[in-house]
Amino acid sequence: MFEKVLIANRGEIALRIHRACREMGIRTVAVHSTADENAMHVRLADESVCIGPPASAKSYLNISAILSAATITGVDAIHPGVGFLSENAKFAEMVEEHGFTFIGPSPEHIRMMGDKITAKQKAVELGIPVVPGSDGAVDDDVEAMKIAGKIGYPVLIKATAGGGGKGMQVARNADEMAQKLSLCRSEAKAAFGNDAVYIEKYLGQPRHIEVQVLGDGQGNVVHFGERDCSLQRRHQKVLEECPSPALNAEVRQKIGTIVTDALKKINYRSAGTIEFLYENGEFYFIEMNTRLQVEHPISEMVCGVDLVREQLRVATGAPLGYGQSSIKFNGHAIECRINAEHPRTFLPSPGRVTEYHAPGGLGVRVDSALYAGYSVPPYYDSLIAKLVVHGTSRNECLMRLRRALEEFVVGGVQTTIPLHQQLIAEPDFLNGDYDIHWLEKWMAKG
Ligand code: ADP
């Protein structure tokens, strides 16, 4: 096992990784920007290194500063966390070139899944169902119209270099096509410096369902069921649940087998997530994230697994040591993402936390790096806590979540706690009856 690991991240996820290391007897090195000097991940780590000024580009994305910190502190491995450099194939390569272990998949797999078109082509090759559409980029408008006519309107025009929900246009009919194509191309050119687009069938009321996987790079791959992340605002997840209220055991097993069979073929290593849109009983691949996800704790709660521990273990070259039949699904878990934002306008609300009390009790987990007196810096993602609640049934989980939200006190900054309180009282949510557009429609109603 590793003796010392550098955590190339900040906030709650850095703490999450620190905790797994600690429990395995591994020492940790935190890196931080000057804005994060007093952050909890820095206070708890065995050692820490300042890697630059507040702007992420100069600190948490500064590859040479991170590699220098790893060299100076003599670590064995680097965990990239989520966001920042976690899906940067070049970074993974450089980590290995400098003699450290990258705790994640191979650079080849990160690269394969990082480009939307190659990822989709690979998915088809591996037997994963995809959204019907063009085979790759379409340069020519006449060709684009022909494809759209064949798959049927409405269609979604997507920038191949798109990301973060940007670079997408819906064309409802053939008359809209030319205008939407040129709009998408010019937006993509401006945002990503690349105007290549491709075409997909536009799904009207899908759910976002993703499957958590883990492989050891030696041909063994298991899945930990699915997460339903359909409650989204501007394509950003707000609340996630496991299992999905829309799937039964048979469908879960079917999609789980498709995914694990596919990843066995490429000898996938580490944790990963395959994201699907799910409509009328059909799954459509949208992307694969070759890293840990923010919402991984709900799968951990239901399956009783520590995914970061597993990532660390397989990174040393250890085999999984268990198969799919050892993985049991127990009860229900929900995660609320608590952001330092106004609960309705979503305007960021950085500043000093004057009061902090996290809920506790049976089945309640809070992943957060907050403490009273801490100042939430304005430079980074506004996620300040993840409230993760587990119950033996969905109903028990919902009742527990309601009381846990009541107990949560964060003073001095605005948070999305009141939004979650309202959301989980909505009949549609209680009935599990929602798709990826539900939240925005609900918000529009005021
Ligand atoms: P990004 O990389 O920008 O996040 P994705 O391809 O993952 O782009 O899609 C982001 C979101 O856009 C999805 O979660 C879904 O809400 C919506 N979306 C993507 N493809 C389709 C589609 N074919 N039909 C309907 N909605 C879609």
Side-chain angles (χ1 to χ4, degrees):
M1 188 38 71
F2 305 121
E3 283 182 14
K4 214 196 238 189
V5 167
L6 182 144
I7 302 164
N9 218 296
R10 64 178 302 282
E12 66 81 22
I13 200 71
L15 215 54
R16 166 73 191 86
I17 297 158
H18 166 81
R19 286 172 173 152
C21 289
R22 205 82 193 141
E23 291 175 16
M24 297 171 86
I26 301 169
R27 280 176 294 142
T28 58
V29 176
V31 292
H32 66 91
S33 70
T34 50
D36 275 342
E37 240 165 20
N38 298 316
M40 194 52 105
H41 77 280
V42 178
R43 290 166 67 161
L44 288 181
D46 293 294
E47 293 169 61
S48 63
V49 181
C50 181
I51 49 166
S56 306
K58 297 195 165 154
S59 50
Y60 297 103
L61 293 171
N62 183 343
I63 296 180
S64 49
I66 292 169
L67 291 174
S68 303
T71 305
I72 295 164
T73 52
V75 300
D76 307 304
I78 299 181
H79 195 308
V82 313
F84 294 126
L85 296 167
S86 60
E87 286 179 300
N88 184 317
K90 186 83 199 136
F91 177 62
E93 239 158 43
M94 288 175 80
V95 166
E96 301 278 342
E97 277 164 18
H98 282 72
F100 309 112
T101 301
F102 179 75
I103 301 169
S106 68
E108 178 206 349
H109 290 158
I110 299 176
R111 200 165 275 132
M112 178 191 290
M113 295 301 171
D115 175 274
K116 282 174 179 268
I117 293 205
T118 54
K120 198 170 169 184
Q121 284 163 347
K122 198 71 198 175
V124 173
E125 209 180 299
L126 295 173
I128 299 174
V130 300
V131 191
S134 56
D135 308 317
V138 268
D139 319 321
D140 179 83
D141 281 17
V142 178
E143 176 69 15
M145 304 275 241
K146 229 192 264 166
I147 295 166
K150 215 163 82 192
I151 56 181
Y153 289 95
V155 298
L156 191 62
I157 306 163
K158 290 170 116 172
T160 60
K166 293 198 190 83
M168 288 190 259
Q169 290 291 333
V170 183
R172 305 256 159 217
N173 50 53
D175 296 340
E176 277 186 18
M177 205 50 195
Q179 183 218 344
K180 292 293 174 76
L181 269 168
S182 82
L183 192 59
C184 190
R185 283 193 205 282
S186 57
E187 274 181 9
K189 181 87 190 160
F192 313 107
N194 176 350
D195 69 356
V197 299
Y198 65 107
I199 293 172
E200 269 182 4
K201 172 134 197 82
Y202 177 73
L203 303 169
Q205 337 175 314
R207 298 181 82 110
H208 173 114
I209 306 243
E210 56 185 38
V211 181
Q212 174 69 54
V213 297
L214 175 74
D216 61 6
Q218 303 173 44
N220 304 303
V221 181
V222 293
H223 71 85
F224 295 96
E226 81 286 2
R227 295 183 287 258
D228 194 319
C229 314
S230 303
L231 285 186
Q232 300 182 357
R233 180 183 163 269
R234 299 200 177 150
H235 305 304
Q236 307 270 358
K237 297 164 188 167
V238 171
L239 175 154
E240 304 94 351
E241 58 181 318
C242 170
S244 166
L247 300 197
N248 58 32
E250 193 189 330
V251 179
R252 173 168 312 113
Q253 198 201 341
K254 189 181 124 206
I255 192 65
T257 306
I258 289 175
V259 162
T260 48
D261 284 353
L263 294 178
K264 280 175 192 167
K265 288 183 201 153
I266 59 168
N267 242 335
Y268 188 75
R269 182 189 70 216
S270 201
T273 298
I274 303 213
E275 299 192 335
F276 294 97
L277 294 176
Y278 179 71
E279 190 176 77
N280 299 328
E282 300 290 337
F283 287 94
Y284 303 96
F285 170 87
I286 42 174
E287 65 174 337
M288 173 164 187
N289 290 319
T290 49
R291 56 169 168 84
L292 198 65
Q293 306 245 129
V294 172
E295 60 276 22
H296 76 278
I298 54 176
S299 306
E300 295 187 320
M301 301 291 269
V302 167
C303 298
V305 62
D306 180 335
L307 287 168
V308 179
R309 170 189 278 264
E310 294 303 287
Q311 282 189 304
L312 285 156
R313 226 168 46 74
V314 299
T316 65
L320 268 189
Y322 51 86
Q324 192 61 46
S325 61
S326 316
I327 293 152
K328 304 283 181 244
F329 302 99
N330 258 312
H332 200 93
I334 296 181
E335 171 182 277
C336 292
R337 296 192 186 204
I338 297 173
N339 292 351
E341 285 171 359
H342 186 281
R344 275 294 166 156
T345 61
F346 298 96
L347 282 174
S349 175
R352 190 163 179 274
V353 176
T354 51
E355 242 189 316
Y356 181 69
H357 173 80
L362 185 66
V364 177
R365 162 176 172 181
V366 177
D367 280 19
S368 173
L370 278 200
Y371 59 88
Y374 174 69
S375 278
V376 179
Y379 312 104
Y380 313 106
D381 192 276
S382 57
L383 180 78
I384 50 168
K386 303 189 306 205
L387 171 60
V388 184
V389 170
H390 181 259
T392 53
S393 63
R394 186 169 188 262
N395 191 46
E396 186 180 288
C397 182
L398 286 168
M399 298 295 279
R400 184 164 285 155
L401 178 57
R402 193 173 64 176
R403 77 97 179 134
L405 284 165
E406 273 166 20
E407 283 177 29
F408 217 140
V409 180
V410 182
V413 295
Q414 290 196 297
T415 77
T416 50
I417 293 172
L419 171 77
H420 287 291
Q421 286 178 307
Q422 284 184 329
L423 262 179
I424 65 162
E426 277 297 315
D428 285 347
F429 179 70
L430 293 171
N431 294 329
D433 190 10
Y434 56 86
D435 61 30
I436 60 168
H437 304 297
W438 185 89
L439 182 59
E440 289 191 352
K441 283 188 205 147
W442 176 76
M443 304 234 355
K445 281 192 285 188

